[in-house]
Amino acid sequence: SLMKPTNYKEALDWAFLLLQKADRDPEAAEYVLLERQDWRKTDLVLNERRPMPESVWQQFEQDVAQLKTGLPAQYLLGYAWFADLKLKVNQATLIPRQETEELVSWIGEVYPATASLRILDIGTGSGAIALALKQHFPNSTVVATDISNAALTVAQENATNLQLPVTFYQGDLWQALPASEAKFDVIVSNPPYIATDEKKVMDYSVLNFEPQTALFADHQGLAIYERLAAEVAHYLQPQGNLFMEFGYQQAPAIKTIFQNALPQHQIEIRHDLADWPRMARVY
């Protein structure tokens, strides 16, 4: 424990060093402080030399102790931001990532926002993709599935809180869909895609706190894509699009899988902001 710091900057310097020494993400302390205070970075700059109130310090000290265990900031706060939506998250759901927002944006480029589409999100987790798409395409019908009941409980809560009507079904890929659900214009998936043998190089927080079933897949992380490729044509409208996220080294394998399974279809690969090939569109 530290004597109560004289100001915000001193408190953050202390937290930064402590987390760095513990081999945790030192930026997490600033992120949590900004969220707790409902501040932007500019607010911090304006206030960093101000005395930190006792109550703020006590909360911050508790938060830093939690972050030191490796607990991700979003689980600590109980929410994450995704495409300007505040989403509840807990350890039943993956924390939505920035790259996935780029996948949602790509879909937004392909269709006008006024389109009346039938959209399916496979492996929805916290509901991030489905809810962001319902927000972007208000005239569309959005359906989302997940194998995890615990994740769907969170997703349903997010849909209710955000007042975005999405229909959720529990089950493994297509098995989740009732017979009444017809074909879709857009199918999107950010499935588990990490190879099990990559555990040794993974970030401690991800490995120890995020749900393993949402991270790992068989066949070098390609198992779900192989199943999608084999069956997706049955669920897509003739002019439909399949959008997917995948691991940064998987583009060649993804291309091969979909070219072999769907020789009549085109496959387009896109890079994320860090310039890794991370997304595909099959149409």
Side-chain angles (χ1 to χ4, degrees):
S1 176
L2 170 76
M3 297 277 298
K4 181 174 173 299
T6 53
N7 59 31
Y8 284 91
K9 184 183 185 314
E10 197 177 291
L12 279 168
D13 288 348
W14 163 77
F16 196 92
L17 275 173
L18 184 131
L19 292 176
Q20 213 169 26
K21 268 200 196 116
D23 203 22
R24 304 285 175 253
D25 174 17
E27 302 293 333
E30 184 182 291
Y31 176 73
V32 169
L33 180 70
L34 292 177
E35 286 293 328
R36 294 272 193 224
Q37 296 296 103
D38 199 16
W39 280 357
R40 298 186 177 254
K41 197 93 172 183
T42 46
D43 298 305
L44 180 59
V45 173
L46 294 172
N47 287 288
E48 65 176 14
R49 302 285 171 190
R50 293 217 173 131
M52 191 182 227
E54 182 63 38
S55 59
V56 176
W57 165 241
Q58 281 175 352
Q59 177 71 63
F60 187 62
E61 210 178 5
Q62 282 170 27
D63 286 344
V64 172
Q66 289 281 293
L67 295 171
K68 192 184 170 187
T69 70
L71 181 72
Q74 293 87 345
Y75 291 153
L76 172 59
L77 294 165
Y79 63 87
W81 290 95
F82 182 82
D84 293 331
L85 301 175
K86 187 177 181 175
L87 297 174
K88 174 185 168 158
V89 292
N90 62 26
Q91 286 179 250
T93 71
L94 214 56
I95 297 164
R97 306 297 205 264
Q98 191 93 48
E99 295 80 22
T100 310
E101 290 191 9
E102 297 176 48
L103 184 66
V104 169
S105 304
W106 189 5
I107 301 170
E109 286 171 33
V110 173
Y111 297 95
T114 51
S116 302
L117 305 165
R118 283 183 47 76
I119 301 172
L120 169 64
D121 174 22
I122 293 182
T124 197
S126 62
I129 293 175
L131 294 164
L133 288 171
K134 181 63 188 173
Q135 166 106 322
H136 187 84
F137 297 108
N139 303 330
S140 291
T141 300
V142 182
V143 170
T145 70
D146 206 286
I147 198 166
S148 160
N149 253 324
L152 287 176
T153 303
V154 175
Q156 185 59 68
E157 206 176 312
N158 282 324
T160 306
N161 291 344
L162 295 163
Q163 297 181 305
L164 292 168
V166 167
T167 307
F168 297 100
Y169 297 113
Q170 192 265 329
D172 187 14
L173 295 187
W174 320 105
Q175 290 155 21
L177 295 172
S180 59
E181 287 289 355
K183 296 185 181 232
F184 297 91
D185 302 293
V186 173
I187 297 178
V188 59
S189 189
N190 175 21
Y193 55 68
I194 302 170
T196 330
D197 62 12
E198 283 185 40
K199 279 191 183 181
K200 54 187 179 296
V201 295
M202 284 177 69
D203 183 69
Y204 177 89
S205 298
V206 176
L207 203 49
N208 287 277
F209 294 92
E210 298 201 58
Q212 305 275 299
T213 48
L215 293 166
F216 297 104
D218 294 338
H219 301 186
Q220 268 66 59
L222 297 165
I224 308 293
Y225 302 102
E226 291 166 353
R227 292 178 58 196
L228 287 171
E231 296 157 2
V232 71
H234 185 68
Y235 297 91
L236 262 187
Q237 292 282 18
Q239 302 299 311
N241 282 271
L242 167 66
F243 290 89
M244 296 164 292
E245 183 177 318
F246 51 82
Y248 71 100
Q249 295 172 306
Q250 290 175 324
I254 297 282
K255 257 190 149 144
T256 304
I257 289 167
F258 283 90
Q259 279 166 349
N260 290 345
L262 301 162
Q264 310 304 313
H265 287 66
Q266 305 294 314
I267 178 161
E268 181 186 350
I269 302 281
R270 264 213 189 175
H271 290 236
D272 64 15
L273 291 174
D275 209 26
W276 292 107
R278 291 293 307 278
M279 295 164 270
R281 171 188 176 201
V282 179
Y283 59 100

PDB file of all heavy atoms in Angstrom, residues 93-124:
ATOM      1  N   THR A  93     -18.153 -14.471 -21.145  1.00  0.00           N
ATOM      2  CA  THR A  93     -18.055 -13.923 -22.501  1.00  0.00           C
ATOM      3  C   THR A  93     -16.660 -13.387 -22.772  1.00  0.00           C
ATOM      4  O   THR A  93     -16.006 -12.854 -21.877  1.00  0.00           O
ATOM      5  CB  THR A  93     -19.028 -12.731 -22.700  1.00  0.00           C
ATOM      6  OG1 THR A  93     -18.553 -11.610 -21.946  1.00  0.00           O
ATOM      7  CG2 THR A  93     -20.434 -13.075 -22.283  1.00  0.00           C
ATOM      8  N   LEU A  94     -16.257 -13.502 -24.018  1.00  0.00           N
ATOM      9  CA  LEU A  94     -15.018 -12.873 -24.457  1.00  0.00           C
ATOM     10  C   LEU A  94     -15.178 -11.360 -24.371  1.00  0.00           C
ATOM     11  O   LEU A  94     -16.278 -10.841 -24.554  1.00  0.00           O
ATOM     12  CB  LEU A  94     -14.787 -13.268 -25.920  1.00  0.00           C
ATOM     13  CG  LEU A  94     -13.362 -13.477 -26.423  1.00  0.00           C
ATOM     14  CD1 LEU A  94     -12.635 -14.515 -25.599  1.00  0.00           C
ATOM     15  CD2 LEU A  94     -13.400 -13.899 -27.875  1.00  0.00           C
ATOM     16  N   ILE A  95     -14.096 -10.658 -24.117  1.00  0.00           N
ATOM     17  CA  ILE A  95     -14.137  -9.196 -24.150  1.00  0.00           C
ATOM     18  C   ILE A  95     -14.074  -8.770 -25.619  1.00  0.00           C
ATOM     19  O   ILE A  95     -13.161  -9.181 -26.333  1.00  0.00           O
ATOM     20  CB  ILE A  95     -12.945  -8.601 -23.367  1.00  0.00           C
ATOM     21  CG1 ILE A  95     -13.035  -8.991 -21.886  1.00  0.00           C
ATOM     22  CG2 ILE A  95     -12.900  -7.080 -23.531  1.00  0.00           C
ATOM     23  CD1 ILE A  95     -11.746  -8.790 -21.112  1.00  0.00           C
ATOM     24  N   PRO A  96     -15.055  -7.985 -26.099  1.00  0.00           N
ATOM     25  CA  PRO A  96     -15.036  -7.593 -27.520  1.00  0.00           C
ATOM     26  C   PRO A  96     -13.766  -6.803 -27.857  1.00  0.00           C
ATOM     27  O   PRO A  96     -13.295  -6.002 -27.056  1.00  0.00           O
ATOM     28  CB  PRO A  96     -16.273  -6.700 -27.674  1.00  0.00           C
ATOM     29  CG  PRO A  96     -17.080  -6.887 -26.441  1.00  0.00           C
ATOM     30  CD  PRO A  96     -16.181  -7.392 -25.375  1.00  0.00           C
ATOM     31  N   ARG A  97     -13.222  -7.071 -29.055  1.00  0.00           N
ATOM     32  CA  ARG A  97     -11.966  -6.455 -29.473  1.00  0.00           C
ATOM     33  C   ARG A  97     -12.197  -5.400 -30.552  1.00  0.00           C
ATOM     34  O   ARG A  97     -13.151  -5.466 -31.315  1.00  0.00           O
ATOM     35  CB  ARG A  97     -11.024  -7.525 -30.054  1.00  0.00           C
ATOM     36  CG  ARG A  97     -10.737  -8.725 -29.164  1.00  0.00           C
ATOM     37  CD  ARG A  97     -10.030  -8.357 -27.874  1.00  0.00           C
ATOM     38  NE  ARG A  97      -9.243  -9.451 -27.298  1.00  0.00           N
ATOM     39  CZ  ARG A  97      -9.653 -10.271 -26.353  1.00  0.00           C
ATOM     40  NH1 ARG A  97     -10.877 -10.196 -25.864  1.00  0.00           N
ATOM     41  NH2 ARG A  97      -8.834 -11.208 -25.864  1.00  0.00           N
ATOM     42  N   GLN A  98     -11.244  -4.492 -30.615  1.00  0.00           N
ATOM     43  CA  GLN A  98     -11.235  -3.424 -31.617  1.00  0.00           C
ATOM     44  C   GLN A  98     -11.334  -3.967 -33.054  1.00  0.00           C
ATOM     45  O   GLN A  98     -12.070  -3.425 -33.870  1.00  0.00           O
ATOM     46  CB  GLN A  98      -9.910  -2.660 -31.473  1.00  0.00           C
ATOM     47  CG  GLN A  98      -9.845  -1.363 -32.261  1.00  0.00           C
ATOM     48  CD  GLN A  98     -10.271  -0.172 -31.420  1.00  0.00           C
ATOM     49  OE1 GLN A  98      -9.813  -0.002 -30.303  1.00  0.00           O
ATOM     50  NE2 GLN A  98     -11.139   0.648 -31.961  1.00  0.00           N
ATOM     51  N   GLU A  99     -10.594  -5.047 -33.346  1.00  0.00           N
ATOM     52  CA  GLU A  99     -10.591  -5.601 -34.714  1.00  0.00           C
ATOM     53  C   GLU A  99     -11.999  -6.006 -35.148  1.00  0.00           C
ATOM     54  O   GLU A  99     -12.347  -5.909 -36.316  1.00  0.00           O
ATOM     55  CB  GLU A  99      -9.705  -6.855 -34.813  1.00  0.00           C
ATOM     56  CG  GLU A  99      -8.230  -6.616 -34.571  1.00  0.00           C
ATOM     57  CD  GLU A  99      -7.891  -6.535 -33.091  1.00  0.00           C
ATOM     58  OE1 GLU A  99      -8.645  -7.056 -32.248  1.00  0.00           O
ATOM     59  OE2 GLU A  99      -6.871  -5.916 -32.757  1.00  0.00           O
ATOM     60  N   THR A 100     -12.779  -6.471 -34.182  1.00  0.00           N
ATOM     61  CA  THR A 100     -14.130  -6.930 -34.494  1.00  0.00           C
ATOM     62  C   THR A 100     -15.021  -5.754 -34.897  1.00  0.00           C
ATOM     63  O   THR A 100     -15.936  -5.909 -35.704  1.00  0.00           O
ATOM     64  CB  THR A 100     -14.702  -7.724 -33.306  1.00  0.00           C
ATOM     65  OG1 THR A 100     -13.725  -8.699 -32.920  1.00  0.00           O
ATOM     66  CG2 THR A 100     -15.985  -8.434 -33.674  1.00  0.00           C
ATOM     67  N   GLU A 101     -14.743  -4.573 -34.357  1.00  0.00           N
ATOM     68  CA  GLU A 101     -15.471  -3.369 -34.793  1.00  0.00           C
ATOM     69  C   GLU A 101     -15.227  -3.115 -36.280  1.00  0.00           C
ATOM     70  O   GLU A 101     -16.121  -2.659 -36.995  1.00  0.00           O
ATOM     71  CB  GLU A 101     -15.013  -2.135 -34.007  1.00  0.00           C
ATOM     72  CG  GLU A 101     -15.428  -2.137 -32.559  1.00  0.00           C
ATOM     73  CD  GLU A 101     -15.187  -0.802 -31.873  1.00  0.00           C
ATOM     74  OE1 GLU A 101     -14.855   0.193 -32.569  1.00  0.00           O
ATOM     75  OE2 GLU A 101     -15.333  -0.741 -30.640  1.00  0.00           O
ATOM     76  N   GLU A 102     -14.017  -3.435 -36.734  1.00  0.00           N
ATOM     77  CA  GLU A 102     -13.689  -3.236 -38.156  1.00  0.00           C
ATOM     78  C   GLU A 102     -14.486  -4.194 -39.039  1.00  0.00           C
ATOM     79  O   GLU A 102     -14.862  -3.850 -40.157  1.00  0.00           O
ATOM     80  CB  GLU A 102     -12.183  -3.436 -38.371  1.00  0.00           C
ATOM     81  CG  GLU A 102     -11.334  -2.415 -37.615  1.00  0.00           C
ATOM     82  CD  GLU A 102      -9.844  -2.687 -37.768  1.00  0.00           C
ATOM     83  OE1 GLU A 102      -9.392  -2.908 -38.908  1.00  0.00           O
ATOM     84  OE2 GLU A 102      -9.140  -2.695 -36.739  1.00  0.00           O
ATOM     85  N   LEU A 103     -14.756  -5.393 -38.515  1.00  0.00           N
ATOM     86  CA  LEU A 103     -15.580  -6.358 -39.247  1.00  0.00           C
ATOM     87  C   LEU A 103     -17.005  -5.814 -39.405  1.00  0.00           C
ATOM     88  O   LEU A 103     -17.597  -5.868 -40.484  1.00  0.00           O
ATOM     89  CB  LEU A 103     -15.585  -7.693 -38.497  1.00  0.00           C
ATOM     90  CG  LEU A 103     -16.319  -8.863 -39.149  1.00  0.00           C
ATOM     91  CD1 LEU A 103     -15.625  -9.296 -40.442  1.00  0.00           C
ATOM     92  CD2 LEU A 103     -16.419 -10.044 -38.190  1.00  0.00           C
ATOM     93  N   VAL A 104     -17.546  -5.256 -38.327  1.00  0.00           N
ATOM     94  CA  VAL A 104     -18.878  -4.648 -38.351  1.00  0.00           C
ATOM     95  C   VAL A 104     -18.914  -3.480 -39.354  1.00  0.00           C
ATOM     96  O   VAL A 104     -19.861  -3.347 -40.133  1.00  0.00           O
ATOM     97  CB  VAL A 104     -19.290  -4.193 -36.932  1.00  0.00           C
ATOM     98  CG1 VAL A 104     -20.542  -3.325 -36.956  1.00  0.00           C
ATOM     99  CG2 VAL A 104     -19.519  -5.412 -36.022  1.00  0.00           C
ATOM    100  N   SER A 105     -17.870  -2.661 -39.357  1.00  0.00           N
ATOM    101  CA  SER A 105     -17.798  -1.525 -40.292  1.00  0.00           C
ATOM    102  C   SER A 105     -17.811  -1.993 -41.745  1.00  0.00           C
ATOM    103  O   SER A 105     -18.416  -1.351 -42.603  1.00  0.00           O
ATOM    104  CB  SER A 105     -16.519  -0.710 -40.079  1.00  0.00           C
ATOM    105  OG  SER A 105     -16.439  -0.285 -38.754  1.00  0.00           O
ATOM    106  N   TRP A 106     -17.125  -3.090 -42.005  1.00  0.00           N
ATOM    107  CA  TRP A 106     -17.067  -3.630 -43.366  1.00  0.00           C
ATOM    108  C   TRP A 106     -18.475  -3.995 -43.849  1.00  0.00           C
ATOM    109  O   TRP A 106     -18.873  -3.663 -44.972  1.00  0.00           O
ATOM    110  CB  TRP A 106     -16.139  -4.851 -43.399  1.00  0.00           C
ATOM    111  CG  TRP A 106     -15.818  -5.367 -44.773  1.00  0.00           C
ATOM    112  CD1 TRP A 106     -16.181  -4.820 -45.966  1.00  0.00           C
ATOM    113  CD2 TRP A 106     -15.040  -6.539 -45.081  1.00  0.00           C
ATOM    114  NE1 TRP A 106     -15.680  -5.582 -47.007  1.00  0.00           N
ATOM    115  CE2 TRP A 106     -14.975  -6.638 -46.489  1.00  0.00           C
ATOM    116  CE3 TRP A 106     -14.390  -7.500 -44.306  1.00  0.00           C
ATOM    117  CZ2 TRP A 106     -14.306  -7.678 -47.136  1.00  0.00           C
ATOM    118  CZ3 TRP A 106     -13.715  -8.516 -44.945  1.00  0.00           C
ATOM    119  CH2 TRP A 106     -13.674  -8.604 -46.349  1.00  0.00           C
ATOM    120  N   ILE A 107     -19.248  -4.643 -42.985  1.00  0.00           N
ATOM    121  CA  ILE A 107     -20.632  -4.989 -43.348  1.00  0.00           C
ATOM    122  C   ILE A 107     -21.425  -3.714 -43.634  1.00  0.00           C
ATOM    123  O   ILE A 107     -22.220  -3.658 -44.573  1.00  0.00           O
ATOM    124  CB  ILE A 107     -21.290  -5.844 -42.242  1.00  0.00           C
ATOM    125  CG1 ILE A 107     -20.474  -7.127 -42.020  1.00  0.00           C
ATOM    126  CG2 ILE A 107     -22.742  -6.181 -42.604  1.00  0.00           C
ATOM    127  CD1 ILE A 107     -20.885  -7.946 -40.803  1.00  0.00           C
ATOM    128  N   GLY A 108     -21.147  -2.672 -42.843  1.00  0.00           N
ATOM    129  CA  GLY A 108     -21.802  -1.381 -43.039  1.00  0.00           C
ATOM    130  C   GLY A 108     -21.443  -0.706 -44.353  1.00  0.00           C
ATOM    131  O   GLY A 108     -22.193   0.146 -44.847  1.00  0.00           O
ATOM    132  N   GLU A 109     -20.305  -1.085 -44.932  1.00  0.00           N
ATOM    133  CA  GLU A 109     -19.906  -0.525 -46.239  1.00  0.00           C
ATOM    134  C   GLU A 109     -20.625  -1.240 -47.384  1.00  0.00           C
ATOM    135  O   GLU A 109     -20.832  -0.672 -48.443  1.00  0.00           O
ATOM    136  CB  GLU A 109     -18.403  -0.740 -46.475  1.00  0.00           C
ATOM    137  CG  GLU A 109     -17.492   0.153 -45.677  1.00  0.00           C
ATOM    138  CD  GLU A 109     -16.041  -0.300 -45.826  1.00  0.00           C
ATOM    139  OE1 GLU A 109     -15.675  -0.809 -46.915  1.00  0.00           O
ATOM    140  OE2 GLU A 109     -15.289  -0.181 -44.846  1.00  0.00           O
ATOM    141  N   VAL A 110     -20.944  -2.517 -47.183  1.00  0.00           N
ATOM    142  CA  VAL A 110     -21.481  -3.346 -48.255  1.00  0.00           C
ATOM    143  C   VAL A 110     -22.973  -3.073 -48.486  1.00  0.00           C
ATOM    144  O   VAL A 110     -23.458  -3.167 -49.607  1.00  0.00           O
ATOM    145  CB  VAL A 110     -21.216  -4.845 -47.964  1.00  0.00           C
ATOM    146  CG1 VAL A 110     -21.904  -5.751 -48.971  1.00  0.00           C
ATOM    147  CG2 VAL A 110     -19.701  -5.119 -47.956  1.00  0.00           C
ATOM    148  N   TYR A 111     -23.687  -2.717 -47.428  1.00  0.00           N
ATOM    149  CA  TYR A 111     -25.135  -2.480 -47.538  1.00  0.00           C
ATOM    150  C   TYR A 111     -25.489  -1.092 -47.016  1.00  0.00           C
ATOM    151  O   TYR A 111     -24.865  -0.611 -46.075  1.00  0.00           O
ATOM    152  CB  TYR A 111     -25.901  -3.492 -46.672  1.00  0.00           C
ATOM    153  CG  TYR A 111     -25.729  -4.926 -47.080  1.00  0.00           C
ATOM    154  CD1 TYR A 111     -24.770  -5.736 -46.461  1.00  0.00           C
ATOM    155  CD2 TYR A 111     -26.532  -5.499 -48.062  1.00  0.00           C
ATOM    156  CE1 TYR A 111     -24.619  -7.070 -46.819  1.00  0.00           C
ATOM    157  CE2 TYR A 111     -26.394  -6.837 -48.433  1.00  0.00           C
ATOM    158  CZ  TYR A 111     -25.430  -7.611 -47.809  1.00  0.00           C
ATOM    159  OH  TYR A 111     -25.288  -8.926 -48.153  1.00  0.00           O
ATOM    160  N   PRO A 112     -26.547  -0.473 -47.582  1.00  0.00           N
ATOM    161  CA  PRO A 112     -27.016   0.796 -47.009  1.00  0.00           C
ATOM    162  C   PRO A 112     -27.634   0.563 -45.625  1.00  0.00           C
ATOM    163  O   PRO A 112     -28.213  -0.504 -45.377  1.00  0.00           O
ATOM    164  CB  PRO A 112     -28.078   1.270 -48.008  1.00  0.00           C
ATOM    165  CG  PRO A 112     -28.497   0.058 -48.761  1.00  0.00           C
ATOM    166  CD  PRO A 112     -27.328  -0.884 -48.762  1.00  0.00           C
ATOM    167  N   ALA A 113     -27.537   1.551 -44.757  1.00  0.00           N
ATOM    168  CA  ALA A 113     -28.035   1.422 -43.382  1.00  0.00           C
ATOM    169  C   ALA A 113     -29.541   1.176 -43.334  1.00  0.00           C
ATOM    170  O   ALA A 113     -30.061   0.614 -42.363  1.00  0.00           O
ATOM    171  CB  ALA A 113     -27.679   2.666 -42.576  1.00  0.00           C
ATOM    172  N   THR A 114     -30.255   1.574 -44.397  1.00  0.00           N
ATOM    173  CA  THR A 114     -31.713   1.413 -44.442  1.00  0.00           C
ATOM    174  C   THR A 114     -32.147   0.019 -44.913  1.00  0.00           C
ATOM    175  O   THR A 114     -33.338  -0.282 -44.914  1.00  0.00           O
ATOM    176  CB  THR A 114     -32.317   2.441 -45.413  1.00  0.00           C
ATOM    177  OG1 THR A 114     -31.604   2.336 -46.660  1.00  0.00           O
ATOM    178  CG2 THR A 114     -32.181   3.851 -44.876  1.00  0.00           C
ATOM    179  N   ALA A 115     -31.205  -0.818 -45.329  1.00  0.00           N
ATOM    180  CA  ALA A 115     -31.534  -2.142 -45.894  1.00  0.00           C
ATOM    181  C   ALA A 115     -32.342  -2.987 -44.902  1.00  0.00           C
ATOM    182  O   ALA A 115     -32.156  -2.887 -43.687  1.00  0.00           O
ATOM    183  CB  ALA A 115     -30.252  -2.874 -46.266  1.00  0.00           C
ATOM    184  N   SER A 116     -33.232  -3.801 -45.460  1.00  0.00           N
ATOM    185  CA  SER A 116     -33.975  -4.773 -44.635  1.00  0.00           C
ATOM    186  C   SER A 116     -33.345  -6.140 -44.856  1.00  0.00           C
ATOM    187  O   SER A 116     -33.729  -6.864 -45.771  1.00  0.00           O
ATOM    188  CB  SER A 116     -35.441  -4.827 -45.050  1.00  0.00           C
ATOM    189  OG  SER A 116     -35.995  -3.539 -44.920  1.00  0.00           O
ATOM    190  N   LEU A 117     -32.390  -6.470 -44.028  1.00  0.00           N
ATOM    191  CA  LEU A 117     -31.638  -7.719 -44.197  1.00  0.00           C
ATOM    192  C   LEU A 117     -32.057  -8.736 -43.146  1.00  0.00           C
ATOM    193  O   LEU A 117     -32.589  -8.371 -42.096  1.00  0.00           O
ATOM    194  CB  LEU A 117     -30.137  -7.444 -44.024  1.00  0.00           C
ATOM    195  CG  LEU A 117     -29.519  -6.361 -44.910  1.00  0.00           C
ATOM    196  CD1 LEU A 117     -28.146  -5.968 -44.372  1.00  0.00           C
ATOM    197  CD2 LEU A 117     -29.406  -6.865 -46.349  1.00  0.00           C
ATOM    198  N   ARG A 118     -31.777 -10.002 -43.448  1.00  0.00           N
ATOM    199  CA  ARG A 118     -31.811 -11.032 -42.413  1.00  0.00           C
ATOM    200  C   ARG A 118     -30.353 -11.350 -42.066  1.00  0.00           C
ATOM    201  O   ARG A 118     -29.594 -11.760 -42.935  1.00  0.00           O
ATOM    202  CB  ARG A 118     -32.552 -12.283 -42.917  1.00  0.00           C
ATOM    203  CG  ARG A 118     -34.076 -12.099 -42.924  1.00  0.00           C
ATOM    204  CD  ARG A 118     -34.807 -13.355 -43.351  1.00  0.00           C
ATOM    205  NE  ARG A 118     -34.316 -14.565 -42.682  1.00  0.00           N
ATOM    206  CZ  ARG A 118     -34.586 -14.903 -41.412  1.00  0.00           C
ATOM    207  NH1 ARG A 118     -35.339 -14.125 -40.668  1.00  0.00           N
ATOM    208  NH2 ARG A 118     -34.097 -16.015 -40.902  1.00  0.00           N
ATOM    209  N   ILE A 119     -29.996 -11.105 -40.838  1.00  0.00           N
ATOM    210  CA  ILE A 119     -28.596 -11.199 -40.395  1.00  0.00           C
ATOM    211  C   ILE A 119     -28.479 -12.266 -39.313  1.00  0.00           C
ATOM    212  O   ILE A 119     -29.292 -12.311 -38.387  1.00  0.00           O
ATOM    213  CB  ILE A 119     -28.104  -9.842 -39.840  1.00  0.00           C
ATOM    214  CG1 ILE A 119     -28.206  -8.747 -40.912  1.00  0.00           C
ATOM    215  CG2 ILE A 119     -26.676  -9.945 -39.292  1.00  0.00           C
ATOM    216  CD1 ILE A 119     -27.925  -7.337 -40.402  1.00  0.00           C
ATOM    217  N   LEU A 120     -27.449 -13.097 -39.427  1.00  0.00           N
ATOM    218  CA  LEU A 120     -27.174 -14.130 -38.418  1.00  0.00           C
ATOM    219  C   LEU A 120     -25.750 -13.956 -37.891  1.00  0.00           C
ATOM    220  O   LEU A 120     -24.801 -13.885 -38.665  1.00  0.00           O
ATOM    221  CB  LEU A 120     -27.322 -15.524 -39.048  1.00  0.00           C
ATOM    222  CG  LEU A 120     -26.819 -16.725 -38.229  1.00  0.00           C
ATOM    223  CD1 LEU A 120     -27.623 -16.899 -36.942  1.00  0.00           C
ATOM    224  CD2 LEU A 120     -26.885 -18.017 -39.059  1.00  0.00           C
ATOM    225  N   ASP A 121     -25.628 -13.869 -36.568  1.00  0.00           N
ATOM    226  CA  ASP A 121     -24.314 -13.806 -35.911  1.00  0.00           C
ATOM    227  C   ASP A 121     -24.085 -15.127 -35.187  1.00  0.00           C
ATOM    228  O   ASP A 121     -24.830 -15.475 -34.271  1.00  0.00           O
ATOM    229  CB  ASP A 121     -24.291 -12.626 -34.926  1.00  0.00           C
ATOM    230  CG  ASP A 121     -23.018 -12.562 -34.086  1.00  0.00           C
ATOM    231  OD1 ASP A 121     -21.987 -13.130 -34.506  1.00  0.00           O
ATOM    232  OD2 ASP A 121     -23.053 -11.928 -33.003  1.00  0.00           O
ATOM    233  N   ILE A 122     -23.067 -15.863 -35.616  1.00  0.00           N
ATOM    234  CA  ILE A 122     -22.779 -17.178 -35.028  1.00  0.00           C
ATOM    235  C   ILE A 122     -21.680 -17.066 -33.974  1.00  0.00           C
ATOM    236  O   ILE A 122     -20.576 -16.621 -34.270  1.00  0.00           O
ATOM    237  CB  ILE A 122     -22.350 -18.166 -36.133  1.00  0.00           C
ATOM    238  CG1 ILE A 122     -23.541 -18.437 -37.049  1.00  0.00           C
ATOM    239  CG2 ILE A 122     -21.835 -19.467 -35.523  1.00  0.00           C
ATOM    240  CD1 ILE A 122     -23.257 -19.427 -38.137  1.00  0.00           C
ATOM    241  N   GLY A 123     -22.000 -17.478 -32.748  1.00  0.00           N
ATOM    242  CA  GLY A 123     -21.042 -17.391 -31.646  1.00  0.00           C
ATOM    243  C   GLY A 123     -20.996 -15.980 -31.105  1.00  0.00           C
ATOM    244  O   GLY A 123     -19.953 -15.348 -31.028  1.00  0.00           O
ATOM    245  N   THR A 124     -22.147 -15.483 -30.682  1.00  0.00           N
ATOM    246  CA  THR A 124     -22.319 -14.057 -30.388  1.00  0.00           C
ATOM    247  C   THR A 124     -21.644 -13.579 -29.104  1.00  0.00           C
ATOM    248  O   THR A 124     -21.341 -12.412 -28.958  1.00  0.00           O
ATOM    249  CB  THR A 124     -23.823 -13.685 -30.406  1.00  0.00           C
ATOM    250  OG1 THR A 124     -23.961 -12.275 -30.512  1.00  0.00           O
ATOM    251  CG2 THR A 124     -24.552 -14.194 -29.174  1.00  0.00           C
TER     252      THR A 124
END
